[in-house]
Amino acid sequence: PKDTIFRYLASKANYEEENIPNYDLPNPLIMKNGSTINTLKQWNQKRRPELLRLFETEMFGKAPKHPKDMHFKILTEDKNALGGIATRKEVSVYLTKSDKHYFTVLIYIPNKRSGAVPLFFGLNFKGNHTISLDPGISYPTPEKQKEFLWKRLPPRGIAAARWPIEMLMENGYALATIYRGDIDPDFDDAFKNGVHPLFYKKGQHHPANDEWGTIAAWAWAMSCAMNYFETDKDINTSQVAVFGHSRHGKAALWAGATDQRFAMIISNCSGCGGAALSRRAIGETIQAINQQFPHWFCRNFRKYNSKENTLPFDQHELIALLAPRPVYIASATEDQWADPKGEFLSGVHATPVYEFIFGAKGLDAKEMPPSDTPLQDGSIAYHIRSGRHDITQYDWKQYVKFADKWFRK
Ligand code: GCU
């Protein structure tokens, strides 16, 4: 049935540039009240908080503060993983005083290192044990498996093609990941499972209209995990790149916007609700995303179904919230559902904030580059890879190159 909704929505979607409605993008450097932002101080004290609040209350939903009882435990550690090239750790992040509510972070650290290393950090779709055939990765506990409502256990290593761990180790990068279902399962369960109920007020049974959906919960958990990384002396926490493919790309962008400790943000095919401009209403639209994934955003976001022009922001301003940090936006030629051009344009229209406020080069292009021709000169990088909606070796090669440029100067 899920597939049926998708096919229905995808068949109804517009894919033609000439059918895009007329639109004016909001200017990231103009406040809601019409005043212009000229200085770094105005940006930091006025416009950035205003935009952040708008995205929070109208789109992703407000998340709670980090729990005061949050604590960590290293569950397993193997200094001789992957034939000796890496140290593998599994760390639980407990959200309450007891050891009952937690999610597990899987971490690989290159053994060839001197001092703390930079980190790539992102969510996975099917379980930590699916990112590699490494037999040392724990399966989720039987209680967890029950919580995830898995019909069957996804096979070990099934997603390995998307996770070039060896390549990252060779290049001196650590890798960390969390199974997103360990934070909040990815289906509409009226927020009965996952982290939301832990934070309800007395008598509350559902997040309020402006409170966190599932994507905000994923981003929030990544920010909680950052608190653990700060205690891990092998990780250079001033060089953490938060990344994500597709729905996890949306989460990575929001994590970067809400937690400025993330030093680099990578959006791989994040599409609607991610890097793609909503006002273009091409491919997946706000209405389509709210229909298929009613749990992803807060309820307020539904006000904008088929009313993109009334949004008080657009997705280029989500990119602007990342400034001046380096951002990589990537698309794929066959991924029209995610609107590659809209992803590119949000980099272009975030650029004035990088340039005028921070004196940094943003995305220095007016036209989309040809496929497989990365633009990596500025703080906002972009490429469109030939092929389908996926994260591939090619994409990873670009991300490492970009990270090298910023982290190894
Ligand atoms: C669906 C959804 C997209 C999402 C994608 C993914 O196609 O409509 O918004 O990005 O799944 O996560 O792979």
Side-chain angles (χ1 to χ4, degrees):
K2 237 203 221 137
D3 204 40
T4 326
I5 306 177
F6 171 71
R7 262 192 249 159
Y8 173 77
L9 292 169
S11 71
K12 291 279 241 183
N14 168 45
Y15 296 102
E16 302 300 331
E17 286 289 326
E18 67 246 38
N19 295 333
I20 286 181
N22 283 328
Y23 66 84
D24 286 316
L25 283 181
N27 185 332
L29 293 174
I30 296 182
M31 297 282 293
K32 245 186 120 187
N33 69 11
S35 60
T36 306
I37 300 298
N38 296 304
T39 66
L40 179 60
K41 192 166 160 206
Q42 290 169 335
W43 171 258
N44 281 335
Q45 294 184 359
K46 297 220 151 57
R47 181 57 170 160
R48 192 175 190 280
E50 175 177 80
L51 273 174
L52 201 56
R53 211 169 322 109
L54 288 170
F55 274 104
E56 199 171 55
T57 56
E58 301 300 301
M59 184 173 184
F60 294 99
K62 277 190 274 196
K65 294 204 177 74
H66 291 157
K68 68 174 187 343
D69 293 320
M70 179 157 68
H71 57 288
F72 317 110
K73 192 149 85 195
I74 298 178
L75 300 174
T76 66
E77 177 163 10
D78 178 358
K79 297 208 154 108
N80 202 20
L82 302 175
I85 63 164
T87 295
R88 181 190 58 249
K89 295 183 204 181
E90 293 170 308
V91 176
S92 48
V93 176
Y94 299 100
L95 299 172
T96 56
K97 237 194 198 118
S98 82
D99 280 3
K100 200 162 156 224
H101 304 286
Y102 68 96
F103 56 81
T104 305
V105 192
L106 168 66
I107 308 165
Y108 285 94
I109 295 164
N111 283 341
K112 202 173 65 194
R113 66 177 185 275
S114 54
V117 291
L119 170 72
F120 282 97
F121 176 37
L123 303 173
N124 68 75
F125 280 77
K126 295 189 171 160
N128 290 350
H129 67 283
T130 66
I131 76 153
S132 164
L133 283 167
D134 177 358
I137 307 174
S138 306
Y139 286 120
T141 62
E143 299 79 60
K144 281 283 189 186
Q145 292 188 35
K146 215 182 284 161
E147 250 174 60
F148 301 161
L149 298 178
W150 281 345
K151 290 195 198 79
R152 63 186 110 76
L153 183 74
R156 198 180 269 294
I158 189 174
R162 284 183 170 175
W163 297 85
I165 309 178
E166 280 82 359
M167 183 273 261
L168 292 172
M169 298 302 116
E170 261 160 44
N171 284 280
Y173 289 92
L175 173 72
T177 185
I178 307 168
Y179 169 49
R180 55 105 189 284
D182 202 2
I183 302 156
D184 188 34
D186 192 11
F187 53 85
D188 182 18
D189 62 356
F191 300 104
K192 292 206 164 40
N193 302 296
V195 293
H196 296 84
L198 296 176
F199 299 90
Y200 288 158
K201 295 184 202 83
K202 232 179 142 185
Q204 187 177 8
H205 302 289
H206 194 281
N209 290 350
D210 64 350
E211 286 180 338
W212 53 342
T214 293
I215 290 179
W218 294 341
W220 171 89
M222 287 198 273
S223 169
C224 290
M226 191 67 179
N227 286 29
Y228 164 74
F229 298 140
E230 287 183 332
T231 70
D232 189 323
K233 60 171 184 14
D234 294 329
I235 293 170
N236 181 346
T237 38
S238 66
Q239 298 189 332
V240 177
V242 63
F243 74 91
H245 168 59
S246 208
R247 65 198 67 184
H248 301 161
K250 310 180 210 291
L253 290 169
W254 186 233
T258 48
D259 189 338
Q260 298 197 70
R261 292 175 297 175
F262 293 117
M264 174 178 291
I265 300 89
I266 300 167
S267 149
N268 190 88
C269 298
S270 64
C272 177
L277 294 175
S278 301
R279 278 172 176 73
R280 281 169 50 81
I282 187 169
E284 187 173 31
T285 60
I286 292 179
Q287 172 156 13
I289 208 166
N290 283 333
Q291 219 168 316
Q292 206 189 347
F293 303 99
H295 55 295
W296 278 1
F297 301 99
C298 73
R299 280 207 178 148
N300 278 343
F301 197 45
R302 300 181 196 177
K303 294 192 289 197
Y304 306 100
N305 286 353
S306 306
K307 294 203 182 79
E308 289 83 358
N309 270 320
T310 65
L311 268 171
F313 50 74
D314 211 315
Q315 298 308 102
H316 61 304
E317 292 172 305
L318 182 58
I319 308 299
L321 284 172
L322 308 174
R325 292 164 291 165
V327 183
Y328 205 124
I329 303 172
S331 315
T333 52
E334 289 164 30
D335 192 15
Q336 296 303 317
W337 182 239
D339 184 19
K341 187 165 177 194
E343 295 179 316
F344 168 75
L345 286 176
S346 74
V348 171
H349 294 293
T351 289
V353 175
Y354 278 77
E355 283 183 354
F356 300 141
I357 301 297
F358 293 98
K361 195 161 153 187
L363 178 53
D364 196 11
K366 293 282 166 287
E367 299 293 329
M368 274 183 87
S371 49
D372 310 307
T373 311
L375 304 173
Q376 298 185 1
D377 282 355
S379 299
I380 306 177
Y382 179 82
H383 75 244
I384 177 164
R385 166 183 51 75
S386 48
R388 61 190 184 88
H389 181 72
D390 197 0
I391 178 165
T392 67
Q393 302 292 323
Y394 177 88
D395 298 315
W396 274 110
K397 229 168 114 184
Q398 308 314 318
Y399 303 150
V400 167
K401 200 167 152 203
F402 192 58
D404 280 348
K405 174 179 150 188
W406 288 93
F407 293 161
R408 313 241 188 240
K409 301 189 251 216

